[in-house]
Amino acid sequence: MAVILERDLERGRIAFQQWHTAAQQSLQTAAAITINPTLPRSTWAMAVRYSLFLLERRAPGPGVEVRVAPWGAVKILDGPESDPHNLTPPDVIELEPDVWLRLACGITTWNQEKDAGHISAVGERDDLSDLLPLTR
């Protein structure tokens, strides 16, 4: 199932840009690792979905599942697929929406968020730093 509908791609692109702009403005008064812009929930949802869509296009494959609850999950990178009995791939990365969007926009780095304990990752391919930020 697609993380975002084709008809919502433009809305998602705009939401992602709005989040990025709000986060950049917040950098003037807050540390990067704490950036959490005050935007409507629908903007957050579309920004997450659109950014996961970009990630999926950048690194297609069935090997790693990236989950950003409650708004989306994608499978990326080559590698072993899901176990047919439980449908969970061997590598799973879980992130909160604010953490994911900071990474996707290049506000913070993978190592900063990992060191702060904001990333839950299981498996051999638990580092997405080569794929981020999505804004480059």
Side-chain angles (χ1 to χ4, degrees), residues 90-128:
D91 297 297
V92 176
I93 298 170
E94 295 184 71
L95 307 142
E96 294 293 324
D98 58 326
V99 174
W100 168 247
L101 289 171
R102 286 194 301 262
L103 290 166
C105 290
I107 304 295
T108 56
T109 66
W110 190 264
N111 287 337
Q112 286 174 308
E113 297 288 359
K114 185 83 168 170
D115 291 346
H118 297 163
I119 297 172
S120 172
V122 177
E124 294 176 14
R125 294 164 293 168
D126 64 352
D127 185 338
L128 301 181

Side-chain angles (χ1 to χ4, degrees), residues 2 5 16 21-22 27 34 43 47 101 104 109 111 125:
L5 299 174
F16 186 57
T21 300
L27 278 173
T34 65
T43 301
L101 289 171
T109 66
N111 287 337
R125 294 164 293 168

Side-chain angles (χ1 to χ4, degrees), residues 45-91:
M46 291 306 292
V48 166
R49 290 179 183 134
Y50 182 76
S51 58
L52 287 172
F53 165 79
L54 294 177
L55 177 67
E56 187 176 37
R57 290 193 61 185
R58 182 172 283 182
V64 177
E65 186 167 286
V66 179
R67 300 174 182 167
V68 182
W71 293 308
V74 293
K75 291 184 181 176
I76 61 168
L77 299 171
D78 289 329
E81 294 187 38
S82 304
D83 177 318
H85 299 291
N86 68 16
L87 302 178
T88 301
D91 297 297

